[in-house]
Amino acid sequence: MSLPLLQNFINGRFVAAATDTAVEVVDPRTEQAVAQCPVSGAADVDAAYDAALKAFESWRLTTPAERQAFLLRLAEALEANADRIVEAQRRNTGQLAEMIRVEEVLTGASQLRFFAGAARIQSGVASGEYAEGLNSQIRREPIGVVGQIVPWNYPFMMLIWKVGPALAAGNTVVLKPSATTPESAIVFAEIAGEILPPGVFNLVLGTGDTGRLMSAHPVPGLVALTGSVRAGSDLAKQAAGNVTRVHLELGGKAPAIVFADADIEAAAEGIAAAGMFNSGQDCTAATRVLVEASVAKEFTDALVRHAESLRTGPIPEEEAFYGPLNNARHFASVQKIVEERPAHSNLLTGGHRVGESGYYYAPTIISGLKQDDALVQQEVFGPVLTVQEFSSADEALSMANGVDYALSSSIWTTDHQRVLRFSRDLDFGCVWVNSHIPLVAEMPHGGFKRSGYGKDLSIYGVEDYTRIKHVMSAL
């Protein structure tokens, strides 16, 4: 039986890609192909950007209230079609159905409602006379056409995080999902096509080569990506040729710092869940546990116990905490870095495949590592936690900040003074206290250093999709 060949969505309708090249979309639960994703070329990217540019002429003139109404209708429609979105995404990611429904579709609809409201509360400096005889005012305007590239770990959630603020601010969009997880974006395009004017949202399918064409194109005023450091660096180089603005969220290596005065059992349970959620394929996941030496054994024993209780594999979904890794190449990458761990490390649990088919990987905890080991420094993006010990607050802070990533972190303690100090000195875009991983639409998500720049979520995320204009008039 031939596999369905997926189509792009351009100017309000589905169209075949102008290419003969396609890659297989594989269900990571079964390792069986379920569809073919075209590798869109220059003609497809041109057509999508042309449609978005034409649509921008009228979309930019809509009022914030009108854009709010469109987004609220879209949010309602997404909830009504939750089953379709869940099934489409599940075929591509292997994620648990209930997790997709709650964490991505329903939360995504809620986030879209936030962006709808945020469209109406843009801020700026008050109009006034800052020079004698001259009045100044600030206009916050949409950038124009925006190119967006989203990853495979949370395909639908990342789509909402990108499309929501861009449309709320008055931009039009050309979006490319990952070639391994395109189908929930296709369902979104179909739903959006019944609500939004043609050309406001466009979908181009393809691989990294397609993304490079989007980034190097002269039309977009901004290109946004959530992905790896390599992909973000590549995109920035492509965009630089046209001096195109770039918005990057490039992953993390989050420390979870546990002090002796913390609730050890609660910390172990919370960190295990935050490290293994979504198979550890989360840029904010707790990946590096730093624990005070005096309670290291007690905490580590509890962490192993809680991690081992989080099941995965080809088992009934109601018994599983997480599903498979996304694809064969990524599975091999996670397997390799664990198998090549240094001799001085200790594998406390896991470190192996689960089941005979599907990319399932056991909850894995490794101790005895040094700060410069690859497992400490590199983003594994799997259900793998490392444990290191510290003896002082200064040492903990140095170890926490001693990586290239700076997206998220957490501190577990009952000492308020310590919380204030670490909130100031931890070099990460988010600091959680006695928790790790919750996100809300009202608060920004984004990091520093090699984790990229720009904010998703919150009013700051909407403002990232605007430009500032000064208008000065003689009185």
Side-chain angles (χ1 to χ4, degrees), residues 98 112 131 220 394 464:
E98 189 62 15
L112 204 57
D394 287 343
D464 273 0

Side-chain angles (χ1 to χ4, degrees), residues 127-475:
S127 173
E129 289 69 54
Y130 299 92
E132 185 176 350
L134 296 166
N135 173 268
S136 287
Q137 61 175 288
I138 296 294
R139 288 181 56 87
R140 187 179 289 278
E141 301 178 338
I143 293 168
V145 176
V146 171
Q148 301 181 321
I149 300 171
V150 295
W152 45 254
N153 61 322
Y154 291 109
F156 194 78
M157 181 193 298
M158 295 297 99
L159 180 153
I160 294 295
W161 285 18
K162 293 290 187 282
V163 173
L167 297 185
N171 303 282
T172 55
V173 168
V174 175
L175 181 133
K176 187 194 85 65
S178 168
T180 69
T181 57
E183 292 193 78
S184 59
I186 290 172
V187 178
F188 177 88
E190 181 181 342
I191 296 167
E194 297 175 355
I195 295 171
L196 301 173
V200 170
F201 174 81
N202 304 274
L203 184 72
V204 174
L205 305 179
T207 61
D209 289 338
T210 310
R212 292 182 189 94
L213 291 171
M214 290 175 59
S215 305
H217 204 279
V219 165
L222 180 145
V223 182
L225 172 138
T226 296
S228 68
V229 172
R230 179 198 55 78
S233 177
D234 188 28
L235 182 151
K237 291 174 185 176
Q238 300 295 328
N242 294 305
V243 199
T244 302
R245 284 173 59 180
V246 174
H247 182 288
L248 302 175
E249 196 271 272
L250 306 179
K253 193 68 178 172
I257 307 165
V258 182
F259 281 89
D261 65 337
D263 182 328
I264 298 300
E265 193 67 23
E269 182 178 12
I271 292 169
M276 308 302 170
F277 188 74
N278 199 39
S279 312
Q281 299 171 138
D282 188 312
C283 52
T284 64
T287 59
R288 297 183 294 134
V289 183
L290 309 178
V291 57
E292 194 163 7
S294 63
V295 294
K297 186 181 187 310
E298 177 189 358
F299 172 84
T300 303
D301 288 347
L303 183 67
V304 169
R305 174 165 37 84
H306 283 292
E308 289 177 341
S309 73
L310 304 176
R311 298 186 64 199
T312 189
I315 58 178
E317 285 203 358
E318 59 270 19
E319 298 177 16
F321 183 72
Y322 64 87
L325 296 171
N326 180 256
N327 58 75
R329 185 173 67 175
H330 182 54
F331 180 87
S333 172
V334 172
Q335 198 169 39
K336 183 174 186 289
I337 197 169
V338 173
E339 289 178 350
E340 295 181 356
R341 65 189 180 275
H344 56 258
S345 67
N346 305 304
L347 179 64
L348 302 181
T349 190
H352 59 82
R353 184 176 198 147
V354 178
E356 296 182 359
S357 63
Y359 306 125
Y360 296 97
Y361 201 79
T364 299
I365 298 176
I366 301 170
S367 67
L369 292 160
K370 299 177 181 178
Q371 187 68 18
D372 58 354
D373 287 334
L375 277 161
V376 172
Q377 293 294 325
Q378 297 177 16
E379 186 175 35
V380 178
F381 221 57
V384 179
L385 275 169
T386 64
V387 180
Q388 298 169 272
E389 298 180 19
F390 66 85
S391 298
S392 69
D394 287 343
E395 184 183 17
L397 194 59
S398 176
M399 293 168 69
N401 288 336
V403 295
D404 289 336
Y405 295 94
L407 182 62
S408 61
S409 59
S410 64
I411 176 174
W412 301 72
T413 181
T414 56
D415 187 326
H416 180 64
Q417 193 172 37
R418 182 184 291 141
V419 167
L420 292 177
R421 181 199 171 187
F422 273 69
S423 299
R424 180 194 67 188
D425 292 343
L426 280 169
D427 191 18
F428 296 87
C430 177
V431 179
W432 284 291
V433 179
N434 294 322
S435 66
H436 194 115
I437 226 169
L439 295 168
V440 293
E442 295 83 358
M443 292 293 116
H445 172 81
F448 316 133
K449 294 162 57 175
R450 290 172 70 85
S451 289
Y453 41 83
K455 297 297 182 185
D456 292 315
L457 300 177
S458 79
I459 190 64
Y460 302 105
V462 178
E463 289 178 352
D464 273 0
Y465 286 94
T466 66
R467 65 183 190 182
I468 303 299
K469 179 186 289 182
H470 171 215
V471 179
M472 181 175 276
S473 304
L475 294 176

